[in-house]
Amino acid sequence: MEKRYIKEEKQTPVNYLYDTIVAGGGTAGIVAAIAAARNGAKTILIDRYGFVGGTMINGAGPLHSFFNLYKAFPGVEKVQVVRGIPDEIIERMKQKGGSPGHLEQEKGGSYDSVITLIDWEIFKEVAFEMLEECKVTVLLHTMVADVIKDGNRITGVIIEGKSGREAILAENVIDTTGDGDVAAMAGAPFIKRHNTTSVGMPFGMMNVDMPKLMHFLEENNMVNQLIRADKGSETDDVIRLGFELKKLPLFKEYMEKSGMWGPLGFSLYEGNYGYINSANLKSVDATDTEELSAAEIKLRRQVMTLSRMLREHVPGFEKAYVSWTPVGVGVRLTRVIECEHDMSLDEIVNGTRFPDEVMLYGFHDCAPRIMIKDGKYYGLPYRALLPKKVEGLLVAGRMITSEWDAHMSTRNTVSCMAQGQAAGTAAALCAKQGCQPRQLDVDKLRGVLKEQNVFLD
Protein backbone atom coordinates (compact mmCIF):
# COMPACT_ATOMS: atom_id res chain seq x y z
CA MET A 1 0.00 0.00 0.00
CA GLU A 2 1.29 3.44 -0.91
CA LYS A 3 2.40 5.44 2.11
CA ARG A 4 0.12 8.33 2.97
CA TYR A 5 1.15 11.67 4.44
CA ILE A 6 -0.64 14.50 6.18
CA LYS A 7 0.63 18.01 5.51
CA GLU A 8 0.46 20.31 8.53
CA GLU A 9 0.90 24.03 9.01
CA LYS A 10 1.05 25.10 12.63
CA GLN A 11 1.71 28.20 14.64
CA THR A 12 3.64 27.34 17.79
CA PRO A 13 3.89 29.85 20.63
CA VAL A 14 7.38 30.75 21.85
CA ASN A 15 6.81 30.37 25.57
CA TYR A 16 10.41 30.10 26.78
CA LEU A 17 13.62 32.05 26.17
CA TYR A 18 16.79 30.54 27.64
CA ASP A 19 20.56 30.46 27.27
CA THR A 20 20.82 26.66 27.36
CA ILE A 21 18.36 23.86 26.71
CA VAL A 22 19.24 20.44 28.11
CA ALA A 23 17.14 17.81 26.34
CA GLY A 24 17.00 14.66 28.47
CA GLY A 25 17.20 14.60 32.27
CA GLY A 26 19.04 11.31 32.57
CA THR A 27 22.53 10.41 33.72
CA ALA A 28 24.35 13.07 31.71
CA GLY A 29 21.52 15.59 31.51
CA ILE A 30 21.12 16.28 35.23
CA VAL A 31 24.79 17.11 35.64
CA ALA A 32 24.83 19.14 32.41
CA ALA A 33 21.92 21.28 33.60
CA ILE A 34 23.47 21.90 37.03
CA ALA A 35 26.85 22.76 35.47
CA ALA A 36 25.33 25.15 32.94
CA ALA A 37 23.24 26.96 35.54
CA ARG A 38 26.06 27.22 38.09
CA ASN A 39 28.22 28.82 35.41
CA GLY A 40 25.69 31.54 34.74
CA ALA A 41 23.48 30.16 31.97
CA LYS A 42 19.71 30.52 32.23
CA THR A 43 18.93 26.82 31.83
CA ILE A 44 15.89 24.67 31.10
CA LEU A 45 15.85 20.87 31.44
CA ILE A 46 13.34 18.70 29.57
CA ASP A 47 12.51 15.09 30.33
CA ARG A 48 9.85 12.67 29.13
CA TYR A 49 9.30 11.07 32.55
CA GLY A 50 7.98 12.39 35.86
CA PHE A 51 11.42 12.29 37.47
CA VAL A 52 15.07 12.80 36.58
CA GLY A 53 17.82 10.20 36.55
CA GLY A 54 16.95 8.11 33.52
CA THR A 55 18.62 4.72 33.18
CA MET A 56 20.88 5.37 36.16
CA ILE A 57 17.92 4.98 38.52
CA ASN A 58 16.00 2.48 36.42
CA GLY A 59 18.16 -0.59 36.61
CA ALA A 60 21.74 0.54 36.08
CA GLY A 61 22.34 -0.40 39.70
CA PRO A 62 25.81 0.39 41.04
CA LEU A 63 27.56 3.38 39.48
CA HIS A 64 30.74 2.51 37.55
CA SER A 65 33.25 3.96 38.39
CA PHE A 66 34.62 6.99 40.16
CA PHE A 67 38.06 5.31 40.49
CA ASN A 68 40.71 3.62 38.40
CA LEU A 69 40.95 -0.19 38.26
CA TYR A 70 43.80 -0.32 40.77
CA LYS A 71 42.89 -3.71 42.28
CA ALA A 72 43.68 -5.47 38.99
CA PHE A 73 47.25 -4.19 39.06
CA PRO A 74 49.24 -4.79 42.29
CA GLY A 75 51.10 -1.72 43.44
CA VAL A 76 49.03 0.74 41.39
CA GLU A 77 47.85 3.80 43.30
CA LYS A 78 44.14 4.22 43.99
CA VAL A 79 42.96 7.40 42.25
CA GLN A 80 39.54 9.01 42.29
CA VAL A 81 39.32 9.90 38.63
CA VAL A 82 35.82 11.43 38.51
CA ARG A 83 35.13 14.23 40.96
CA GLY A 84 33.26 17.53 40.53
CA ILE A 85 29.45 17.57 40.46
CA PRO A 86 29.07 13.76 40.15
CA ASP A 87 30.95 13.25 43.41
CA GLU A 88 29.08 16.13 45.06
CA ILE A 89 25.84 14.29 44.28
CA ILE A 90 27.16 11.21 46.10
CA GLU A 91 28.24 13.29 49.11
CA ARG A 92 24.78 14.80 49.35
CA MET A 93 23.24 11.36 49.01
CA LYS A 94 25.38 10.16 51.93
CA GLN A 95 24.15 13.03 54.08
CA LYS A 96 20.55 11.93 53.51
CA GLY A 97 21.30 8.23 54.08
CA GLY A 98 20.89 7.49 50.38
CA SER A 99 24.34 6.04 49.70
CA PRO A 100 27.05 4.22 51.67
CA GLY A 101 29.55 6.03 49.44
CA HIS A 102 32.41 4.53 47.44
CA LEU A 103 33.02 0.95 48.59
CA GLU A 104 35.90 -1.34 47.64
CA GLN A 105 35.05 -4.75 46.22
CA GLU A 106 36.17 -7.68 48.34
CA LYS A 107 35.72 -10.03 45.41
CA GLY A 108 35.65 -8.97 41.76
CA GLY A 109 38.00 -6.01 42.11
CA SER A 110 39.51 -6.68 38.70
CA TYR A 111 36.13 -5.83 37.16
CA ASP A 112 35.54 -2.64 39.12
CA SER A 113 37.65 -1.89 42.17
CA VAL A 114 35.13 0.50 43.75
CA ILE A 115 31.34 0.36 43.58
CA THR A 116 29.02 3.26 44.40
CA LEU A 117 25.46 2.34 45.36
CA ILE A 118 22.57 4.80 45.61
CA ASP A 119 18.98 4.75 46.79
CA TRP A 120 17.04 5.76 43.68
CA GLU A 121 14.22 7.58 45.46
CA ILE A 122 16.65 9.63 47.54
CA PHE A 123 18.59 10.36 44.36
CA LYS A 124 15.47 11.92 42.84
CA GLU A 125 15.09 14.10 45.93
CA VAL A 126 18.72 15.22 45.85
CA ALA A 127 18.69 15.85 42.10
CA PHE A 128 15.57 18.03 42.26
CA GLU A 129 17.03 19.97 45.20
CA MET A 130 20.27 20.66 43.33
CA LEU A 131 18.42 21.72 40.18
CA GLU A 132 16.17 24.03 42.21
CA GLU A 133 19.11 25.58 44.06
CA CYS A 134 20.72 26.75 40.82
CA LYS A 135 17.36 27.83 39.38
CA VAL A 136 17.09 25.33 36.52
CA THR A 137 13.59 25.27 35.04
CA VAL A 138 12.48 21.64 34.84
CA LEU A 139 9.77 20.47 32.42
CA LEU A 140 8.70 16.89 33.07
CA HIS A 141 6.33 14.73 31.00
CA THR A 142 7.69 16.59 27.98
CA MET A 143 9.10 15.38 24.66
CA VAL A 144 11.17 17.19 22.05
CA ALA A 145 9.09 17.02 18.87
CA ASP A 146 11.28 19.06 16.52
CA VAL A 147 14.14 21.53 16.35
CA ILE A 148 14.32 25.16 15.27
CA LYS A 149 17.23 26.10 13.04
CA ASP A 150 18.78 29.15 11.43
CA GLY A 151 20.86 27.73 8.61
CA ASN A 152 22.99 25.00 10.14
CA ARG A 153 22.65 26.41 13.67
CA ILE A 154 20.11 25.04 16.12
CA THR A 155 18.34 27.91 17.88
CA GLY A 156 15.70 26.07 19.86
CA VAL A 157 13.35 23.13 20.10
CA ILE A 158 9.66 22.38 19.76
CA ILE A 159 8.26 20.51 22.73
CA GLU A 160 5.01 18.70 23.36
CA GLY A 161 3.52 18.00 26.79
CA LYS A 162 0.33 18.48 28.74
CA SER A 163 0.32 22.16 27.77
CA GLY A 164 0.35 21.21 24.11
CA ARG A 165 2.91 22.28 21.52
CA GLU A 166 5.36 25.01 22.58
CA ALA A 167 8.66 26.47 21.42
CA ILE A 168 11.83 27.18 23.40
CA LEU A 169 14.49 29.47 21.94
CA ALA A 170 18.05 29.36 23.26
CA GLU A 171 21.66 30.24 22.57
CA ASN A 172 22.62 26.56 22.54
CA VAL A 173 21.26 23.06 23.12
CA ILE A 174 22.73 20.01 24.84
CA ASP A 175 21.38 16.67 23.62
CA THR A 176 21.43 14.15 26.46
CA THR A 177 18.45 12.12 25.23
CA GLY A 178 20.50 8.91 24.97
CA ASP A 179 19.19 8.19 21.48
CA GLY A 180 20.51 11.43 20.00
CA ASP A 181 16.98 12.57 19.15
CA VAL A 182 17.75 16.29 18.98
CA ALA A 183 21.01 15.87 17.08
CA ALA A 184 19.30 13.63 14.52
CA MET A 185 16.43 16.09 14.05
CA ALA A 186 18.97 18.90 13.64
CA GLY A 187 20.69 17.07 10.78
CA ALA A 188 23.82 15.84 12.53
CA PRO A 189 25.15 12.72 10.79
CA PHE A 190 24.71 9.49 12.73
CA ILE A 191 24.85 5.73 12.43
CA LYS A 192 22.68 3.17 14.18
CA ARG A 193 24.53 0.56 16.23
CA HIS A 194 21.71 -1.32 17.99
CA ASN A 195 22.67 -4.47 16.09
CA THR A 196 25.94 -4.66 18.06
CA THR A 197 24.30 -5.05 21.46
CA SER A 198 21.11 -5.80 23.36
CA VAL A 199 18.39 -4.21 25.43
CA GLY A 200 17.58 -5.54 28.87
CA MET A 201 15.26 -5.35 31.83
CA PRO A 202 16.49 -5.74 35.39
CA PHE A 203 14.16 -6.18 38.33
CA GLY A 204 14.15 -6.16 42.11
CA MET A 205 12.81 -8.69 44.59
CA MET A 206 11.79 -8.24 48.21
CA ASN A 207 11.62 -10.77 51.02
CA VAL A 208 14.85 -12.44 49.94
CA ASP A 209 16.61 -14.40 52.69
CA MET A 210 20.09 -13.08 51.92
CA PRO A 211 21.98 -15.17 54.55
CA LYS A 212 20.39 -18.34 53.17
CA LEU A 213 21.14 -17.27 49.60
CA MET A 214 24.77 -16.49 50.45
CA HIS A 215 25.22 -19.86 52.14
CA PHE A 216 23.96 -21.63 49.02
CA LEU A 217 26.10 -19.55 46.64
CA GLU A 218 29.31 -19.90 48.64
CA GLU A 219 28.73 -23.63 49.12
CA ASN A 220 28.52 -23.97 45.34
CA ASN A 221 31.39 -21.54 44.57
CA MET A 222 29.11 -19.22 42.58
CA VAL A 223 30.00 -15.77 44.00
CA ASN A 224 32.09 -13.57 41.69
CA GLN A 225 31.52 -10.08 43.13
CA LEU A 226 30.97 -9.12 46.74
CA ILE A 227 30.90 -6.14 49.10
CA ARG A 228 29.83 -6.34 52.72
CA ALA A 229 28.72 -3.28 54.69
CA ASP A 230 26.47 -2.31 57.56
CA LYS A 231 22.90 -1.93 56.33
CA GLY A 232 21.15 -2.02 59.68
CA SER A 233 20.59 -5.77 59.87
CA GLU A 234 21.82 -8.19 62.51
CA THR A 235 22.09 -11.05 60.01
CA ASP A 236 22.64 -9.49 56.59
CA ASP A 237 25.63 -7.37 55.57
CA VAL A 238 25.78 -8.16 51.83
CA ILE A 239 25.38 -4.95 49.86
CA ARG A 240 26.83 -5.98 46.48
CA LEU A 241 26.48 -9.48 45.11
CA GLY A 242 27.30 -10.96 41.75
CA PHE A 243 27.01 -14.66 41.11
CA GLU A 244 27.15 -17.17 38.28
CA LEU A 245 23.57 -18.34 37.93
CA LYS A 246 24.46 -20.29 34.79
CA LYS A 247 26.29 -22.81 36.94
CA LEU A 248 22.82 -24.24 37.57
CA PRO A 249 21.90 -26.28 34.45
CA LEU A 250 18.23 -25.25 34.45
CA PHE A 251 19.14 -21.55 34.41
CA LYS A 252 21.98 -22.02 31.92
CA GLU A 253 19.59 -23.44 29.34
CA TYR A 254 17.00 -20.68 29.81
CA MET A 255 19.45 -17.76 29.98
CA GLU A 256 21.54 -18.74 26.98
CA LYS A 257 18.51 -18.67 24.69
CA SER A 258 18.43 -14.88 24.88
CA GLY A 259 21.98 -14.08 25.97
CA MET A 260 21.18 -13.39 29.63
CA TRP A 261 24.08 -13.29 32.05
CA GLY A 262 24.78 -12.33 35.62
CA PRO A 263 23.35 -11.34 37.92
CA LEU A 264 25.42 -8.41 39.12
CA GLY A 265 23.08 -7.33 41.88
CA PHE A 266 22.85 -5.05 44.88
CA SER A 267 21.09 -5.09 48.23
CA LEU A 268 20.93 -1.74 49.99
CA TYR A 269 18.30 -2.91 52.47
CA GLU A 270 17.55 -6.12 54.32
CA GLY A 271 15.53 -8.59 52.29
CA ASN A 272 16.00 -6.68 49.02
CA TYR A 273 17.95 -7.87 45.99
CA GLY A 274 18.17 -5.99 42.70
CA TYR A 275 18.86 -8.32 39.78
CA ILE A 276 20.87 -6.59 37.05
CA ASN A 277 21.53 -8.09 33.59
CA SER A 278 18.47 -10.30 33.63
CA ALA A 279 16.01 -10.22 30.75
CA ASN A 280 17.81 -9.59 27.49
CA LEU A 281 17.06 -9.19 23.75
CA LYS A 282 19.58 -8.63 20.98
CA SER A 283 19.50 -6.16 18.07
CA VAL A 284 16.43 -4.15 19.09
CA ASP A 285 16.14 -0.73 17.47
CA ALA A 286 14.87 1.33 20.40
CA THR A 287 14.22 4.28 18.08
CA ASP A 288 11.51 2.23 16.34
CA THR A 289 8.19 2.43 18.22
CA GLU A 290 6.93 -1.02 17.24
CA GLU A 291 10.26 -2.76 17.96
CA LEU A 292 10.59 -1.04 21.31
CA SER A 293 7.02 -1.91 22.29
CA ALA A 294 7.43 -5.57 21.35
CA ALA A 295 10.71 -5.76 23.29
CA GLU A 296 9.09 -4.21 26.36
CA ILE A 297 6.34 -6.81 26.39
CA LYS A 298 8.67 -9.75 25.81
CA LEU A 299 11.20 -8.62 28.42
CA ARG A 300 8.55 -8.14 31.09
CA ARG A 301 7.43 -11.69 30.43
CA GLN A 302 11.03 -12.89 30.82
CA VAL A 303 11.35 -11.05 34.14
CA MET A 304 8.35 -12.84 35.60
CA THR A 305 9.51 -16.22 34.28
CA LEU A 306 12.98 -15.80 35.75
CA SER A 307 11.63 -14.59 39.09
CA ARG A 308 9.46 -17.73 39.36
CA MET A 309 12.47 -19.90 38.55
CA LEU A 310 14.45 -18.22 41.34
CA ARG A 311 11.66 -18.83 43.83
CA GLU A 312 11.38 -22.48 42.86
CA HIS A 313 15.04 -23.43 42.50
CA VAL A 314 17.38 -21.10 44.44
CA PRO A 315 17.46 -21.21 48.26
CA GLY A 316 16.75 -17.81 49.78
CA PHE A 317 14.21 -16.79 47.13
CA GLU A 318 11.38 -19.09 48.29
CA LYS A 319 9.18 -16.29 49.65
CA ALA A 320 10.49 -13.46 47.46
CA TYR A 321 8.38 -11.40 45.08
CA VAL A 322 9.06 -8.86 42.33
CA SER A 323 9.01 -5.41 43.94
CA TRP A 324 10.11 -3.22 41.04
CA THR A 325 10.77 -3.17 37.33
CA PRO A 326 12.16 -0.16 35.44
CA VAL A 327 10.00 2.43 33.74
CA GLY A 328 11.21 1.07 30.39
CA VAL A 329 13.71 -1.27 28.81
CA GLY A 330 17.39 -0.58 29.40
CA VAL A 331 18.92 0.65 26.15
CA ARG A 332 22.67 0.67 25.66
CA LEU A 333 23.10 1.85 22.10
CA THR A 334 20.98 3.20 19.25
CA ARG A 335 22.12 6.24 17.30
CA VAL A 336 25.77 7.25 17.50
CA ILE A 337 26.17 10.89 16.57
CA GLU A 338 29.16 11.59 14.36
CA CYS A 339 31.36 13.98 16.33
CA GLU A 340 34.66 15.68 15.67
CA HIS A 341 36.39 12.83 17.49
CA ASP A 342 35.28 9.21 17.86
CA MET A 343 36.99 7.39 20.73
CA SER A 344 38.67 4.12 19.75
CA LEU A 345 39.31 1.07 21.91
CA ASP A 346 43.05 1.52 21.38
CA GLU A 347 42.89 5.05 22.83
CA ILE A 348 40.91 3.80 25.80
CA VAL A 349 42.96 0.75 26.77
CA ASN A 350 46.24 2.62 26.34
CA GLY A 351 45.12 5.50 28.56
CA THR A 352 45.49 8.08 25.81
CA ARG A 353 45.55 11.71 26.87
CA PHE A 354 44.48 14.71 24.76
CA PRO A 355 45.34 18.43 24.87
CA ASP A 356 41.61 19.26 24.80
CA GLU A 357 40.43 16.59 27.26
CA VAL A 358 37.60 17.67 29.53
CA MET A 359 37.30 14.58 31.74
CA LEU A 360 39.17 11.42 32.67
CA TYR A 361 37.82 7.90 33.11
CA GLY A 362 39.27 4.55 34.16
CA PHE A 363 36.57 1.87 33.82
CA HIS A 364 35.67 -0.61 31.09
CA ASP A 365 32.53 -2.74 31.39
CA CYS A 366 34.24 -5.79 29.85
CA ALA A 367 36.96 -5.98 32.51
CA PRO A 368 38.95 -8.06 33.21
CA ARG A 369 38.80 -9.19 29.55
CA ILE A 370 39.31 -5.58 28.39
CA MET A 371 41.06 -3.22 30.81
CA ILE A 372 42.78 0.13 30.69
CA LYS A 373 46.42 -0.85 30.92
CA ASP A 374 48.30 -0.63 34.19
CA GLY A 375 45.34 0.81 36.09
CA LYS A 376 45.57 4.07 34.16
CA TYR A 377 42.79 6.32 32.90
CA TYR A 378 42.14 7.99 29.57
CA GLY A 379 41.02 11.47 28.55
CA LEU A 380 37.87 12.33 26.63
CA PRO A 381 38.52 15.25 24.27
CA TYR A 382 36.09 18.14 23.98
CA ARG A 383 35.82 17.32 20.27
CA ALA A 384 34.04 14.07 21.18
CA LEU A 385 31.06 16.17 22.36
CA LEU A 386 30.83 18.29 19.18
CA PRO A 387 28.52 16.92 16.44
CA LYS A 388 29.55 17.50 12.87
CA LYS A 389 27.58 19.79 10.54
CA VAL A 390 25.45 21.44 13.25
CA GLU A 391 26.28 24.58 15.23
CA GLY A 392 24.90 25.51 18.63
CA LEU A 393 24.77 21.89 19.75
CA LEU A 394 26.65 19.68 22.22
CA VAL A 395 26.00 15.99 22.90
CA ALA A 396 26.81 13.86 25.93
CA GLY A 397 26.08 10.35 27.13
CA ARG A 398 25.65 7.02 25.40
CA MET A 399 25.21 8.58 21.95
CA ILE A 400 28.96 9.04 21.45
CA THR A 401 31.54 6.39 20.45
CA SER A 402 30.68 4.15 17.49
CA GLU A 403 32.96 1.14 18.13
CA TRP A 404 31.17 -1.32 20.44
CA ASP A 405 34.27 -2.26 22.45
CA ALA A 406 35.05 1.42 23.05
CA HIS A 407 31.44 2.32 23.75
CA MET A 408 31.44 -0.24 26.57
CA SER A 409 33.53 2.27 28.50
CA THR A 410 32.20 5.70 27.52
CA ARG A 411 28.52 4.77 27.95
CA ASN A 412 28.84 3.89 31.63
CA THR A 413 27.04 5.90 34.29
CA VAL A 414 29.90 7.85 35.85
CA SER A 415 31.43 8.59 32.44
CA CYS A 416 28.09 10.04 31.30
CA MET A 417 27.89 12.16 34.46
CA ALA A 418 31.37 13.56 33.82
CA GLN A 419 30.53 14.23 30.18
CA GLY A 420 27.49 16.14 31.40
CA GLN A 421 29.59 18.48 33.54
CA ALA A 422 31.90 19.19 30.61
CA ALA A 423 29.04 19.86 28.18
CA GLY A 424 27.05 22.01 30.61
CA THR A 425 30.07 24.11 31.53
CA ALA A 426 30.94 24.57 27.84
CA ALA A 427 27.39 25.64 26.99
CA ALA A 428 27.40 28.27 29.74
CA LEU A 429 30.75 29.69 28.64
CA CYS A 430 29.51 29.87 25.06
CA ALA A 431 26.37 31.76 26.10
CA LYS A 432 28.45 34.15 28.20
CA GLN A 433 30.97 34.80 25.41
CA GLY A 434 28.47 34.84 22.55
CA CYS A 435 30.24 32.08 20.64
CA GLN A 436 29.32 28.69 19.27
CA PRO A 437 30.59 25.49 20.97
CA ARG A 438 32.98 24.82 18.09
CA GLN A 439 34.65 28.20 18.62
CA LEU A 440 35.02 27.94 22.40
CA ASP A 441 38.49 28.39 23.89
CA VAL A 442 39.08 24.87 25.25
CA ASP A 443 41.90 25.99 27.51
CA LYS A 444 39.49 28.36 29.24
CA LEU A 445 36.92 25.54 29.54
CA ARG A 446 39.52 23.24 31.06
CA GLY A 447 40.55 25.96 33.50
CA VAL A 448 36.97 26.42 34.71
CA LEU A 449 36.48 22.66 35.06
CA LYS A 450 39.64 22.38 37.17
CA GLU A 451 38.46 25.25 39.37
CA GLN A 452 35.23 23.31 39.91
CA ASN A 453 37.02 20.18 41.11
CA VAL A 454 37.13 18.23 37.85
CA PHE A 455 40.21 16.01 37.93
CA LEU A 456 42.34 16.56 34.83
CA ASP A 457 45.65 15.41 36.41
Side-chain angles (χ1 to χ4, degrees):
M1 186 177 73
E2 184 180 352
K3 195 162 190 177
R4 300 167 66 186
Y5 294 88
I6 296 172
K7 187 174 182 180
E8 298 178 284
E9 289 187 16
K10 294 185 177 182
Q11 282 192 320
T12 303
V14 178
N15 289 342
Y16 303 95
L17 296 172
Y18 279 82
D19 294 324
T20 297
I21 299 167
V22 181
T27 315
I30 299 165
V31 183
I34 293 168
R38 285 184 176 179
N39 282 285
K42 185 182 178 186
T43 304
I44 188 166
L45 175 66
I46 303 158
D47 197 81
R48 58 180 171 163
Y49 297 126
F51 56 87
V52 292
T55 302
M56 179 168 59
I57 58 167
N58 271 277
L63 306 187
H64 302 293
S65 169
F66 284 83
F67 292 78
N68 61 325
L69 194 64
Y70 61 94
K71 284 205 164 191
F73 302 92
V76 167
E77 180 187 4
K78 176 182 178 180
V79 179
Q80 182 166 347
V81 182
V82 176
R83 305 176 190 178
I85 295 172
D87 196 53
E88 181 187 338
I89 291 171
I90 301 304
E91 287 302 312
R92 292 182 63 151
M93 293 280 294
K94 286 167 62 178
Q95 292 168 15
K96 287 183 177 286
S99 174
H102 307 305
L103 301 177
E104 291 192 349
Q105 293 234 90
E106 298 170 32
K107 185 176 273 191
S110 61
Y111 166 68
D112 192 1
S113 297
V114 175
I115 298 290
T116 309
L117 291 161
I118 59 172
D119 179 302
W120 296 339
E121 296 306 317
I122 294 176
F123 174 87
K124 294 172 188 175
E125 178 189 19
V126 168
F128 281 132
E129 283 178 357
M130 293 179 72
L131 290 164
E132 186 177 351
E133 285 167 8
C134 53
K135 297 181 170 54
V136 174
T137 299
V138 179
L139 297 183
L140 303 175
H141 306 290
T142 303
M143 296 280 288
V144 176
D146 206 347
V147 298
I148 304 163
K149 291 182 71 178
D150 180 5
N152 70 339
R153 180 189 166 198
I154 184 169
T155 58
V157 298
I158 304 293
I159 59 171
E160 289 185 352
K162 288 297 183 181
S163 299
R165 187 176 171 93
E166 304 172 280
I168 309 173
L169 299 182
E171 294 298 315
N172 52 58
V173 179
I174 305 172
D175 185 345
T176 48
T177 59
D179 293 318
D181 294 332
V182 175
M185 291 176 192
F190 66 86
I191 59 172
K192 283 191 174 182
R193 298 288 283 161
H194 58 275
N195 59 345
T196 64
T197 189
S198 58
V199 298
M201 181 163 287
F203 62 96
M205 298 186 78
M206 281 297 294
N207 211 26
V208 179
D209 187 334
M210 290 296 289
K212 187 175 182 180
L213 172 62
M214 279 301 299
H215 177 75
F216 170 77
L217 297 176
E218 289 177 329
E219 197 173 52
N220 289 277
N221 195 30
M222 293 170 67
V223 177
N224 54 26
Q225 292 196 38
L226 180 65
I227 298 175
R228 296 181 184 273
D230 181 10
K231 57 184 190 183
S233 169
E234 294 181 2
T235 59
D236 175 16
D237 64 354
V238 173
I239 197 165
R240 163 69 160 179
L241 176 62
F243 59 93
E244 298 171 49
L245 194 51
K246 286 185 184 177
K247 281 194 172 183
L248 304 177
L250 181 70
F251 287 90
K252 178 179 171 68
E253 181 182 358
Y254 180 72
M255 293 170 72
E256 287 188 346
K257 287 179 183 176
S258 64
M260 289 185 198
W261 56 285
L264 290 179
F266 57 96
S267 179
L268 271 175
Y269 305 107
E270 185 175 12
N272 168 256
Y273 184 67
Y275 189 123
I276 307 303
N277 306 313
S278 56
N280 190 74
L281 290 176
K282 293 181 178 178
S283 301
V284 174
D285 183 355
T287 65
D288 181 291
T289 304
E290 289 191 11
E291 278 197 44
L292 184 59
S293 299
E296 184 98 29
I297 294 165
K298 189 169 183 178
L299 288 170
R300 291 192 181 280
R301 189 179 299 124
Q302 284 187 14
V303 163
M304 299 314 294
T305 299
L306 192 56
S307 69
R308 292 186 191 102
M309 291 172 67
L310 288 167
R311 281 198 302 271
E312 292 171 12
H313 302 287
V314 179
F317 283 101
E318 293 92 342
K319 296 181 180 180
Y321 58 90
V322 174
S323 57
W324 64 261
T325 57
V327 68
V329 300
V331 180
R332 285 181 168 171
L333 187 56
T334 51
R335 298 187 190 98
V336 176
I337 306 303
E338 190 176 329
C339 292
E340 297 297 341
H341 183 83
D342 188 12
M343 291 296 295
S344 70
L345 180 63
D346 182 71
E347 289 169 332
I348 287 171
V349 298
N350 286 299
T352 303
R353 305 295 297 273
F354 300 91
D356 63 335
E357 64 193 18
V358 288
M359 59 164 281
L360 302 175
Y361 196 54
F363 173 73
H364 195 290
D365 205 16
C366 294
R369 181 174 64 85
I370 300 175
M371 298 186 290
I372 299 158
K373 291 179 180 177
D374 303 321
K376 294 179 181 176
Y377 30 87
Y378 63 92
L380 186 89
Y382 177 59
R383 291 164 288 149
L385 308 178
L386 290 174
K388 293 182 177 179
K389 299 187 178 180
V390 179
E391 299 296 333
L393 180 64
L394 289 151
V395 298
R398 64 174 170 83
M399 69 188 74
I400 70 168
T401 314
S402 62
E403 184 184 349
W404 184 87
D405 281 340
H407 186 262
M408 286 294 284
S409 178
T410 63
R411 69 153 178 83
N412 280 279
T413 46
V414 181
S415 171
C416 291
M417 294 172 85
Q419 291 173 43
Q421 181 159 3
T425 305
L429 293 178
C430 287
K432 196 177 292 184
Q433 296 172 19
C435 69
Q436 297 303 307
R438 212 177 305 279
Q439 282 76 53
L440 182 63
D441 182 340
V442 181
D443 287 335
K444 177 156 188 169
L445 170 60
R446 283 168 45 81
V448 172
L449 289 170
K450 287 179 181 179
E451 288 170 6
Q452 296 173 5
N453 201 32
V454 172
F455 177 60
L456 292 173
D457 196 16

